[in-house]
Amino acid sequence: MWVLPLSRILTLKQLITELILHAVQPLVEDTSSLNIVLERPKSADHGDFASNIAMQLAKPLKQNPRVIAQQIIDGLPANQVISKVEIAGAGFINFFVSAHSKQAIVHTILRAGEDFGRNTSGQQQPVQVEFVSANPTGPLHVGHGRGAAVGDCLCRLLAANGWRVTREFYYNDAGAQIDNLTKSVLARAQGILPSDPAFPEDGYRGDYIADIAEAYLAKASVTADDMQVTASGTLEDVDAIRKFAVAYLRHEQDLDLQAFQIKFDVFSLESALYTEGKVEQTVQALIASGHTYEQDNALWLRTTDFGDDKDRVMRKKEGGYTYFVPDVAYHREKWNRGFSRVINEQGADHHSTITRVRAGLQALDVGIPQGWPEYVLHQMVTVMRGGEEVKLSKRAGSYVTLRDLIEEVGCDATRYFLAARSPDSQLVFDIDLARAQTNDNPVYYIQYAHARICSVLHQWGGDIARLQQAELSPLTSAAETALMQMLSQYPELVASACQALAPHMVANYLKELASALHSYYNDTKFLVEDAHVKQARLSLITATRTVLRNGLGLLGVSAPEKM
RNA sequence: GCGCCCGUAGCUCAGAUGGAUAGAGUAUUGGUUUCCGAAGCCAAGGGUCGUGGGUUCGACUCCCGCCGGGCGCGCCA
């Protein structure tokens, strides 16, 4: 009898993969290059797992795949997991798992609880995720909201996969846009309205500018996550206005993020890169590396050596640095801080900076890998209400703010909708759908599944902890099998969503899991007379509740017990 | 002109690393509660997967061309 490697906890999938590997060994000389992929067939007729390994081997072995498949089946070690194996189609090997092995997932989940689905693949290595990174020139808008939702879910996924995550927010607090902000606040403080010709031409025209001006004149104090400032109220001191405006808007953004249940570990300021000499050090390092040259009174970086389509100016004719120099300095700092893995979540409108930042880092010649940092870019968001695109917000003056969305549809629905689509796809945010407290709304559909289970358990009133001892053999119906199948896929889902940096996979999974639960609920009564059967069924839905809760946790969406 | 993303059911979108009969929600139609929450369930109809080639035993998936949409292409950030 083949001995299970008990030193590791194996999923059914991993276990069957091991069995196949064992059976394949006599057929091939080197199994190290083999990629044994087990998939879950769509049709139950094709078993619980299927492997295409025989078809992969057909060419190198120069044999009929069905013959190879038979050889593999003959070589499978005896075990108690597989109840039946079949060859199908061109050479698929279909595995049917014994009922007992399928049922085991329920106890696994009940034992692991909130740890179910987590793994240690990240080995507690540090990873830094930079996201939102909005400049303090106005409220956060829907686009930032998408970045916030996706970025925060990525962090939760990484943590669930054993990474040590640092959430970081970077902003420019000193550039031309901030000057513009300062002028706008000054103008409002002087009573100049945006409609007045004297108002700064490129000034910010949203109502929030007037709020800042008013607070400044009232000598208010503001506290943001990373700073505290009290206004002097004097209009002569432009620098004081700037500092106050920045702090005020940082505070506003903190409120937005807090309403969205997102907390950052580190705030980084562009100005600090200058005052601490990091920009200058980076420039000197680039010059020393020999990848720069002077031309037209400007200093250039030969980014074309690293895949860019043209070289980039570092120091302008007038003397200042272009924006990408502090960007490179900032990322050099990330590297120096020990983050061998960094992920930047940004809007797709910034994609052109990727090549430049990476080129600058390569030019430093300090051993930074070519694909570092990683990027997740999200596409634009369109907001719809009543079948029409919403473009304006009175408060912001131009765009739909995150806070408007949260106030109108709630934190849970906003997070779900912004994270439930692939970041690569443009997103249509339908306010009517998101705020609907009906079956139209997938958020409620999932939360309802959770609440339903809670309700049943409440009515039962028994000791949930004792369900771990329940005997599970009654769980054999189609609905029960389908539900257990969904549950057993959760750990793979957590791993692959993290690998693909794709939080939306979690959202889609949860919808399917909720669907399996609702089907089961309507198919089967749980609180039946037979104590044996009742215990088994309650164990299954309790396990489902755990997975729903864990999965919603990855999205940052609540799992209510009542709705 | 160049680069990145997208094009799948009327609408909004899934189909990671190529697999068997392309899925879900919504909308439409028809069923379903003396019984744990009907915010539910079951079923029907609805598709040349933008298009034309190529690679492969096998392509929604990979490669090339074309069409359509979005976003970028500054000594702005």
Side-chain angles (χ1 to χ4, degrees):
Chain A
M1 177 107 180
W2 185 67
V3 180
L4 288 177
L6 286 175
S7 56
R8 290 177 293 156
I9 297 173
L10 292 176
T11 64
L12 277 179
K13 192 174 179 177
Q14 291 167 325
L15 212 141
I16 294 173
T17 304
E18 298 263 340
L19 294 174
I20 295 172
L21 192 63
H22 186 93
V24 167
Q25 262 160 4
L27 305 180
V28 271
E29 289 174 12
D30 180 18
T31 53
S32 61
S33 63
L34 275 183
N35 182 24
I36 296 181
V37 178
L38 270 189
E39 58 185 43
R40 299 182 185 264
K42 287 171 221 154
S43 162
D45 296 342
H46 297 144
D48 300 298
F49 296 95
S51 171
N52 64 353
I53 186 71
M55 289 183 285
Q56 280 184 49
L57 290 174
K59 192 167 253 183
L61 294 184
K62 292 176 185 159
Q63 276 194 60
N64 183 325
R66 291 185 68 105
V67 172
I68 299 172
Q70 189 57 54
Q71 288 172 339
I72 293 172
I73 291 174
D74 293 341
L76 286 174
N79 64 83
Q80 298 183 330
V81 173
I82 300 168
S83 60
K84 186 170 69 163
V85 193
E86 285 179 355
I87 303 174
F92 289 103
I93 306 175
N94 293 338
F95 296 87
F96 294 78
V97 172
S98 69
H100 179 79
S101 296
K102 287 182 193 170
Q103 290 153 358
I105 191 69
V106 173
H107 280 161
T108 303
I109 294 167
L110 293 181
R111 271 198 307 273
E114 63 183 23
D115 285 334
F116 179 71
R118 301 177 72 90
N119 65 69
T120 57
S121 61
Q123 300 177 301
Q124 290 305 309
Q125 294 173 85
V127 56
Q128 187 221 50
V129 182
E130 183 204 324
F131 60 112
V132 184
S133 291
N135 284 342
T137 55
L140 300 181
H141 55 68
V142 209
H144 295 128
R146 189 174 193 184
V150 171
D152 188 59
C153 291
L154 284 174
C155 292
R156 290 164 186 261
L157 268 173
L158 287 160
N161 282 271
W163 292 83
R164 203 168 74 242
V165 181
T166 298
R167 289 167 166 83
E168 187 145 331
F169 186 117
Y170 172 77
Y171 64 94
N172 179 350
D173 57 330
Q177 290 182 43
I178 299 295
D179 289 344
N180 206 355
L181 169 73
T182 309
K183 286 178 200 159
S184 306
V185 172
L186 175 61
R188 286 306 295 250
Q190 292 167 331
I192 302 169
L193 297 174
S195 53
D196 193 314
F199 197 81
E201 197 178 343
D202 300 322
Y204 295 94
R205 292 162 195 276
D207 290 352
Y208 65 94
I209 297 293
D211 297 341
I212 302 171
E214 194 181 323
Y216 181 78
L217 292 172
K219 301 183 181 178
S221 288
V222 286
T223 305
D225 274 356
D226 59 327
M227 61 175 65
Q228 191 190 356
V229 171
T230 300
S232 66
T234 56
L235 297 182
E236 288 70 34
D237 191 348
V238 175
D239 195 49
I241 297 175
R242 179 179 62 76
K243 280 184 178 145
F244 181 78
V246 166
Y248 186 100
L249 286 170
R250 276 290 317 115
H251 173 66
E252 289 290 306
Q253 293 181 349
D254 284 344
L255 292 178
D256 295 342
L257 293 168
Q258 196 183 322
F260 213 36
Q261 302 201 14
I262 290 173
K263 184 95 182 138
F264 283 91
D265 302 303
V266 177
F267 288 83
S268 283
L269 285 67
E270 186 185 16
S271 63
L273 294 169
Y274 284 98
T275 56
E276 292 167 13
K278 306 295 186 190
V279 173
E280 196 52 39
Q281 286 169 24
T282 301
V283 171
Q284 292 310 319
L286 287 169
I287 292 172
S289 74
H291 294 289
T292 61
Y293 60 93
E294 299 258 0
Q295 187 180 308
D296 305 331
N297 287 325
L299 180 67
W300 296 69
L301 181 66
R302 201 174 282 109
T303 53
T304 48
D305 287 352
F306 306 98
D308 205 352
D309 54 354
K310 51 186 163 188
D311 291 342
R312 305 290 165 179
V313 169
M314 293 171 60
R315 194 187 327 107
K316 298 179 263 189
K317 241 184 287 189
E318 306 87 68
Y321 292 117
T322 57
Y323 76 94
F324 102 96
V325 176
D327 272 1
V328 173
Y330 175 44
H331 283 87
R332 179 171 175 251
E333 275 308 291
K334 291 187 182 182
W335 178 260
N336 288 341
R337 283 159 60 194
F339 290 111
S340 53
R341 186 170 191 201
V342 164
I343 299 168
N344 291 339
E345 205 291 349
Q346 302 180 340
D349 51 341
H350 291 101
H351 84 263
S352 60
T353 67
I354 298 176
T355 310
R356 279 172 235 183
V357 167
R358 285 184 179 158
L361 293 167
Q362 291 300 301
L364 288 167
D365 284 333
V366 291
I368 295 175
Q370 276 189 3
W372 190 98
E374 296 164 65
Y375 282 85
V376 174
L377 301 181
H378 64 261
Q379 299 289 324
M380 303 284 102
V381 181
T382 309
V383 179
M384 303 287 285
R385 182 196 280 117
E388 287 183 10
E389 184 175 348
V390 187
K391 283 189 166 158
L392 298 180
S393 154
K394 192 163 182 293
R395 178 161 161 260
S398 57
Y399 43 67
V400 179
T401 65
L402 177 59
R403 200 181 300 177
D404 289 345
L405 269 188
I406 295 173
E407 280 170 7
E408 188 161 357
V409 310
C411 177
D412 282 345
T414 305
R415 285 189 75 122
Y416 182 89
F417 274 77
L418 290 176
R421 301 297 184 215
S422 164
D424 282 342
S425 294
Q426 289 172 48
L427 172 68
V428 176
F429 193 108
D430 184 338
I431 290 186
D432 301 320
L433 176 60
R435 68 180 303 182
Q437 305 211 352
T438 68
N439 53 353
D440 303 3
N441 193 327
V443 189
Y444 288 95
Y445 183 80
I446 297 165
Q447 292 180 323
Y448 179 49
H450 183 267
R452 248 185 166 173
I453 296 169
C454 292
S455 173
V456 172
L457 292 174
H458 181 72
Q459 286 173 53
W460 170 55
D463 181 2
I464 292 172
R466 288 192 57 191
L467 290 174
Q468 284 188 35
Q469 274 85 50
E471 211 280 305
L472 301 173
S473 60
L475 302 177
T476 55
S477 74
E480 284 158 346
T481 307
L483 185 52
M484 290 188 289
Q485 170 110 317
M486 279 302 301
L487 294 174
S488 67
Q489 285 179 40
Y490 181 70
E492 297 162 32
L493 179 272
V494 174
S496 50
C498 183
Q499 199 176 329
L501 299 179
H504 72 281
M505 291 171 67
V506 177
N508 291 324
Y509 169 84
L510 288 174
K511 224 163 62 180
E512 285 179 44
L513 178 60
S515 172
L517 184 278
H518 287 309
S519 293
Y520 182 38
Y521 183 94
N522 282 278
D523 175 79
T524 310
K525 186 169 162 122
F526 310 141
L527 299 175
V528 291
E529 287 298 316
D530 186 327
H532 185 213
V533 172
K534 180 168 70 180
Q535 296 267 324
R537 291 178 181 169
L538 290 174
S539 300
L540 176 54
I541 64 167
T542 302
T544 306
R545 181 176 74 160
T546 297
V547 175
L548 284 168
R549 195 179 278 170
N550 293 359
L552 285 169
L554 289 176
L555 296 177
V557 174
S558 69
E561 307 210 343
K562 285 181 192 167
M563 338 182 19

